[in-house]
Amino acid sequence: MGEIECVKHVTKRRWTQHIFRTIRKGIFTFLVKNVAAEVGEGCCVNHYSKVTGNTYLASHVSFNGMQIVGKARVEIGRYFHSGEGCMIITSNHNYEGNAIPYDDMDLVRDVKIEDFVWLGNRVMVLPGVTIGEGAIVQAGAVVVKDVPYCAIVGGNPAQVFKYRDKEHFERLKKEMKFH
């Protein structure tokens, strides 16, 4: 194959991949919009994601493979980004009930994620958690308690190990430099 034919082949392949990704993203976004209770403008679902009818998404939420399970309410703020394989759980089994290992009563607690939060790949958020504005959750973390404003957390259970430069964060927010 000559150089020109090779370039045409690569360009055609890239174009085909681009079209496929665009169609796939459209289907995934459509599925989320049709299940969630509320979805703001600019929602983008790049990989298969599952939400519940108690899911409320603000504007410019971006999922790269999210599973939201359970019966409680999940609120996700503006300009949220998730990595691949993330999960938010809002219900637990009652292991202190009338049967072993657990009874048939679910323990249900809401999850709230504020604006400008970024979850890395494979993050798990457990029932009752609030993740504060501007927080970053490191890949693989298990969030079992509230995360403060602009905190950077990681581990199992997730612990604060650093904070964003809050002045820098607020300046970017004021200048409306969102991604």
Side-chain angles (χ1 to χ4, degrees), residues 114-153:
E114 296 181 356
D115 297 341
F116 311 111
V117 170
W118 172 22
L119 303 184
N121 289 348
R122 312 252 184 281
V123 168
M124 186 177 295
V125 179
L126 298 184
V129 167
T130 296
I131 299 178
E133 181 182 39
I136 299 171
V137 181
Q138 184 180 52
V142 179
V143 183
V144 300
K145 62 182 182 181
D146 292 352
V147 175
Y149 162 81
C150 282
I152 302 173
V153 301

Side-chain angles (χ1 to χ4, degrees), residues 55-58 61 63 66 68 74-78 80 88 113:
T55 302
Y56 295 80
L57 306 175
V61 167
F63 289 155
M66 170 67 74
I68 299 175
V74 174
E75 294 179 34
I76 298 179
R78 300 176 306 135
F80 168 86
I88 298 172
I113 299 176

Side-chain angles (χ1 to χ4, degrees), residues 53-126:
N54 277 333
T55 302
Y56 295 80
L57 306 175
S59 62
H60 305 286
V61 167
S62 178
F63 289 155
N64 286 304
M66 170 67 74
Q67 284 193 34
I68 299 175
V69 296
K71 298 175 183 174
R73 181 181 181 106
V74 174
E75 294 179 34
I76 298 179
R78 300 176 306 135
Y79 294 95
F80 168 86
H81 287 263
S82 78
E84 295 179 14
C86 293
M87 180 177 270
I88 298 172
I89 301 170
T90 64
S91 300
N92 281 336
H93 295 295
N94 182 19
Y95 62 86
E96 294 179 333
N98 298 321
I100 298 173
Y102 53 83
D103 65 19
D104 57 358
M105 185 174 90
D106 286 332
L107 304 174
V108 178
R109 294 173 53 207
D110 296 343
V111 170
K112 183 174 184 180
I113 299 176
E114 296 181 356
D115 297 341
F116 311 111
V117 170
W118 172 22
L119 303 184
N121 289 348
R122 312 252 184 281
V123 168
M124 186 177 295
V125 179
L126 298 184

Side-chain angles (χ1 to χ4, degrees), residues 1-9:
M1 185 181 305
E3 187 174 325
I4 292 174
E5 290 86 14
C6 184
V7 170
K8 285 181 184 177
H9 177 72

